[in-house]
Amino acid sequence: MSVRVQEDDFDIGAEIDALCEGRVDIGAVVSFTGLVRDMGGGAQLSSMALEHYPGMTERALETIEAEARARWPLQGVTIIHRYGELAPGARIVLVLTASPHRAAAFEAAEFLMDYLKTRAPFWKKETTEHGGHWVDAREADDLAEERWRQ
Amino acid sequence: MSVRVQEDDFDIGAEIDALCEGRVDIGAVVSFTGLVRDMGGGAQLSSMALEHYPGMTERALETIEAEARARWPLQGVTIIHRYGELAPGARIVLVLTASPHRAAAFEAAEFLMDYLKTRAPFWKKETTEHGGHWVDAREADDLAEERWRQ
Amino acid sequence: MRVLYFAWVRERIGLPREEVETSAQTVAELVAELRGREERYALAFSDLSALRVAVDQEVVGFDASLTAAREVAFFPPMTGG
Amino acid sequence: MRVLYFAWVRERIGLPREEVETSAQTVAELVAELRGREERYALAFSDLSALRVAVDQEVVGFDASLTAAREVAFFPPMTGG
């Protein structure tokens, strides 16, 4: 399955190998890995909880993947998104794209991330020594998604 | 060293781990991997020889890296370029960028690849059953580089 | 009809899901019914501009029909990736 | 002065590098001297638009000065990545 929603961590190198295995027609593979980041503000991040909407999440990711495949000549796509309790520095999401050409692989990976940020039903709650708070959606993410619709 | 020119293969997962090790401030890691591609034309590719200009190659890659770091808030950059005899499907080049934000990581990785294509002294010779031929520089690569100068 | 709540909507209402008997024809009518129930619902639905809704796992507007709907979910804007 | 050749320039000339005694003041003058040597040099340098040149590992134009230059390299446009 090219779309996976899981609590477990993933192995980027193994996922890239799986995408390319036995093929000699791929010219470019782009990976994007999102990590739990401590913003370095006043309060230290102790953990991040990722909640999602089982069922809808998989559907949303599959729809996003199909849209990317319709727009670019992709030879492979992998999307893995974790949920649950994650420590600072932990991997959250992996997007892989494979294509004959680098421009398509780059654009499709950016597109997938931009769409995923605004359309996949995930919510993040950060916990610091001052307690927990839900991460607000960023206007920058909406703008990033919009540019693909022009 | 964040820039390496080598005959040996590289391990993408291990390189990403090395870039992120012990850090909790990185939000996004983008990798680009370029592979030896059989174009699927009349003649099957049997191998690709990558020639380079030792000394100048390292200097060119370090200059390209410094330019990317000056343009984007990067927390880490890795550039590995192989030379020598490579089989179809083999990895040629790896570019990694780490940043707090995904847009910077994506843009810097694209920039590095575009510059590397036109400014790093590598030359490719493909061998098929019909013999060997030097790969021509692509006008598309020159155009891709030019867009960063606007 | 199954109604789901996520993130701070779930926290404010105090449960992740419930079965709701309703004759609401639209999401907006369902919201009005829920608001009338208890303070915690009124609080959760006090600012609809901060909320998103999905009917049968598709994001829709608050004017969307509930005809044949089996599952409605309320949540804040998504923050995946 | 050390002169290097790469890719098909190397193949046409038949060697990867050589020491050249020259009083050429610019790359263009060096090219003119090399062209006059032998047929294989004339062939390698027949179309300068297909060639690039680096002086001391910096890409320059064919009008570049060779004053204080230690290393000159001729090669086709780069095809890395």
Side-chain angles (χ1 to χ4, degrees):
Chain A
M1 267 299 283
S2 56
V3 165
R4 275 141 55 197
V5 183
Q6 61 188 44
E7 262 193 280
D8 292 339
D9 197 8
F10 47 79
D11 178 333
I12 305 168
E15 295 298 335
I16 293 177
D17 286 348
L19 201 69
C20 297
E21 197 180 355
R23 300 188 69 146
V24 295
D25 57 341
I26 296 172
V29 177
V30 168
S31 81
F32 177 91
T33 309
L35 305 164
V36 178
R37 178 164 74 97
D38 189 339
M39 312 280 281
Q44 220 186 328
L45 183 71
S46 59
S47 76
M48 175 180 275
L50 256 152
E51 181 172 338
H52 79 117
Y53 184 170
M56 179 170 167
T57 310
E58 289 79 357
R59 282 179 55 170
L61 295 181
E62 280 160 19
T63 302
I64 292 166
E65 186 202 334
E67 219 159 309
R69 284 185 182 274
R71 285 186 181 223
W72 288 278
L74 300 176
Q75 297 164 312
V77 174
T78 301
I79 303 175
I80 304 175
H81 206 304
R82 298 177 69 188
Y83 62 89
E85 205 73 31
L86 300 177
R91 286 177 276 265
I92 303 171
V93 60
L94 176 68
V95 159
L96 297 183
T97 53
S99 174
H101 300 291
R102 76 182 184 284
F106 270 123
E107 281 178 28
E110 280 194 80
F111 170 90
L112 286 165
M113 282 308 304
D114 287 345
Y115 266 54
L116 196 155
K117 286 257 173 193
T118 54
R119 297 209 192 170
F122 286 96
W123 301 276
K124 290 174 180 156
K125 187 177 193 175
E126 292 180 345
T127 300
T128 68
E129 61 207 9
H130 302 320
H133 76 275
W134 291 95
V135 175
D136 280 329
R138 292 172 64 234
E139 199 191 353
D141 289 332
D142 291 332
L143 294 175
E145 192 217 303
E146 260 168 41
R147 71 186 157 135
W148 300 105
R149 288 192 246 168
Q150 281 154 10
Chain B
M1 268 296 286
S2 58
V3 164
R4 274 140 56 198
V5 182
Q6 62 188 45
E7 262 195 281
D8 292 339
D9 198 7
F10 47 79
D11 179 333
I12 304 168
E15 295 298 335
I16 292 176
D17 286 348
L19 201 68
C20 297
E21 197 180 355
R23 300 187 69 145
V24 295
D25 57 342
I26 296 172
V29 177
V30 168
S31 80
F32 177 90
T33 310
L35 305 164
V36 177
R37 178 163 75 96
D38 189 338
M39 310 282 279
Q44 221 186 327
L45 183 70
S46 59
S47 75
M48 176 181 274
L50 255 153
E51 180 172 337
H52 79 118
Y53 183 168
M56 179 170 167
T57 310
E58 289 80 356
R59 281 179 57 169
L61 295 181
E62 280 160 20
T63 301
I64 292 165
E65 186 202 334
E67 219 159 309
R69 284 185 182 272
R71 286 188 180 220
W72 289 278
L74 300 176
Q75 297 164 311
V77 173
T78 302
I79 303 174
I80 304 176
H81 206 304
R82 297 178 69 189
Y83 61 88
E85 205 73 30
L86 301 176
R91 286 177 277 264
I92 303 171
V93 61
L94 176 68
V95 160
L96 297 183
T97 53
S99 174
H101 300 291
R102 74 183 186 285
F106 269 123
E107 281 177 30
E110 281 195 79
F111 169 90
L112 286 166
M113 282 308 304
D114 287 345
Y115 265 56
L116 195 155
K117 285 258 174 194
T118 55
R119 296 212 194 168
F122 286 96
W123 300 276
K124 290 173 180 156
K125 188 176 193 175
E126 292 180 345
T127 300
T128 68
E129 60 205 13
H130 301 320
H133 76 276
W134 292 94
V135 175
D136 280 328
R138 293 172 64 234
E139 199 189 353
D141 289 332
D142 291 332
L143 294 174
E145 191 216 303
E146 260 167 40
R147 72 185 157 135
W148 300 105
R149 285 192 248 168
Q150 281 154 12
Chain C
M1 182 178 304
R2 182 205 293 257
V3 182
L4 308 180
Y5 310 111
F6 292 99
W8 57 254
V9 186
R10 171 179 57 70
E11 290 181 338
R12 286 193 193 170
I13 291 176
L15 40 88
R17 69 189 61 205
E18 60 185 322
E19 286 297 322
V20 174
E21 289 295 328
T22 179
S23 54
Q25 297 296 301
T26 65
V27 173
E29 286 178 31
L30 176 62
V31 168
E33 276 185 30
L34 292 169
R35 266 185 184 146
R37 282 182 157 191
E38 280 177 56
E39 184 57 27
R40 58 197 169 104
Y41 287 93
L43 185 67
F45 290 105
S46 60
D47 177 12
L48 290 193
S49 74
L51 282 183
R52 300 291 178 270
V53 58
V55 172
D56 290 333
Q57 306 189 352
E58 294 280 355
V59 173
V60 295
F62 281 86
D63 56 349
S65 165
L66 291 182
T67 312
R70 287 159 304 168
E71 188 171 293
V72 179
F74 295 100
F75 42 77
M78 304 163 178
T79 56
Chain D
M1 182 179 302
R2 182 204 293 258
V3 182
L4 309 179
Y5 309 111
F6 292 99
W8 57 253
V9 186
R10 173 179 54 71
E11 290 181 338
R12 285 194 194 168
I13 291 175
L15 41 88
R17 69 189 61 204
E18 58 185 322
E19 287 296 324
V20 174
E21 288 295 328
T22 179
S23 54
Q25 297 295 303
T26 65
V27 173
E29 286 178 30
L30 175 62
V31 168
E33 274 185 30
L34 292 169
R35 265 182 185 149
R37 281 181 158 194
E38 281 177 57
E39 184 58 27
R40 59 198 167 101
Y41 287 93
L43 186 67
F45 290 106
S46 60
D47 177 11
L48 290 193
S49 74
L51 282 183
R52 299 292 179 269
V53 59
V55 171
D56 289 333
Q57 306 190 350
E58 293 281 356
V59 173
V60 294
F62 281 87
D63 55 350
S65 166
L66 290 182
T67 311
R70 285 160 305 169
E71 188 171 290
V72 179
F74 295 100
F75 42 77
M78 302 163 180
T79 57

